[in-house]
Amino acid sequence: MLRFCLAFVLFAPSLAIAADLVEGLVNVIDADTWVVGGVRVRLHGIDAPELGQNCEKNDGKAWACGNWVTQEVRRRFHGKPAQCTPLDWDRYGRVIARCRVIGQDAGRDMVRRGVAFAYRKYSTDYVAEEAHAASERAGLHGAHVQMPWVYRASDVTQSSGPCRIKGNISFSGECIYHAQGQEHYSKTRVSAGGKERWFCSETEAKAAGWRKASR
């Protein structure tokens, strides 16, 4: 029997893309990944710092920018009704969609406020909003920030940051997380640039469809 995480990757995209809209209340997993109406959605055209990513303020002080953008997005959108137009799906099984919350394009709003960047690799829809945010030094533009796509592709792990729960993919394709203190935690590795990832809490891992290791 396939576990939820693997089953979601295999089956959810085709169901979501077949629908005209994905509708429901917003559950913010991180700044650019939401669950809307039970469907895991990756917001189109934007990219935001990862939950465990740290940045640096202009005064040289460390800043947990990944946590900040997630909290800002939760404050603005969590629990509100959204209508998302599916455009594609990604290799993680998320539906890529343009989402509107209370009549406004959420991605456009986030880039304009400086809590996300225009993801030029896939879309130029929000380049003008990013230029405006940069000119105002809004949000992320007022600090030294490694672009999230560069951060994910680097060989540097988040093990020294606040997110210490390891999300690992088993040989059978199961999504399993390991918490500190468990038997295989120290031996478990999180591959950079792939589907494996770090989580900041067990609640976050479970919401993403991962199960806890049995020991």
Side-chain angles (χ1 to χ4, degrees):
M1 180 177 177
L2 292 172
R3 297 287 181 179
F4 172 79
C5 182
L6 181 59
F8 190 92
V9 169
L10 292 176
F11 302 120
S14 59
L15 293 175
I17 297 300
D20 291 333
L21 286 175
V22 173
E23 300 181 274
L25 300 182
V26 174
N27 179 15
V28 174
I29 303 302
D30 60 26
D32 51 36
T33 301
W34 299 354
V35 174
V36 178
V39 177
R40 193 170 172 83
V41 172
R42 174 62 163 87
L43 295 180
H44 162 75
I46 70 168
D47 202 7
E50 298 296 312
L51 261 173
Q53 186 172 342
N54 290 316
C55 304
E56 185 179 291
K57 291 283 191 178
N58 288 331
D59 60 7
K61 293 181 180 179
W63 176 39
C65 58
N67 182 66
W68 177 78
V69 297
T70 298
Q71 295 308 318
E72 285 294 301
V73 173
R74 283 179 178 154
R75 180 182 61 79
R76 192 161 182 80
F77 297 112
H78 191 85
K80 295 182 179 179
Q83 292 186 324
C84 301
T85 303
L87 304 173
D88 202 348
W89 60 82
D90 67 12
R91 58 179 175 165
Y92 305 131
R94 298 174 297 186
V95 175
I96 299 173
R98 182 181 286 105
C99 293
R100 300 187 70 82
V101 180
I102 313 181
Q104 67 176 342
D105 183 329
R108 189 178 305 280
D109 178 82
M110 290 165 62
V111 174
R112 185 171 58 240
R113 292 176 179 275
V115 298
F117 298 104
Y119 206 174
R120 288 172 170 80
K121 180 178 179 180
Y122 298 105
S123 172
T124 58
D125 287 357
Y126 307 130
V127 170
E129 283 74 17
E130 182 178 275
H132 176 76
S135 70
E136 297 290 324
R137 301 184 66 80
L140 296 168
H141 299 282
H144 300 289
V145 180
Q146 184 179 39
M147 291 299 161
W149 52 88
V150 175
Y151 175 82
R152 289 193 299 269
S154 71
D155 291 330
V156 179
T157 70
Q158 300 175 40
S159 59
S160 60
C163 301
R164 296 178 179 271
I165 295 175
K166 299 178 179 181
N168 179 256
I169 307 298
S170 72
F171 287 114
S172 63
E174 290 185 89
C175 300
I176 302 171
Y177 71 85
H178 299 257
Q180 287 180 297
Q182 288 193 280
E183 182 178 347
H184 299 296
Y185 180 85
S186 62
K187 297 179 180 178
T188 300
R189 297 290 180 266
V190 178
S191 299
K195 185 183 176 186
E196 295 184 339
R197 55 178 291 193
W198 295 83
F199 293 100
C200 295
S201 69
E202 292 193 45
T203 299
E204 179 195 350
K206 290 175 181 177
W210 299 58
R211 73 164 178 85
K212 189 172 185 177
S214 57
R215 55 182 183 173

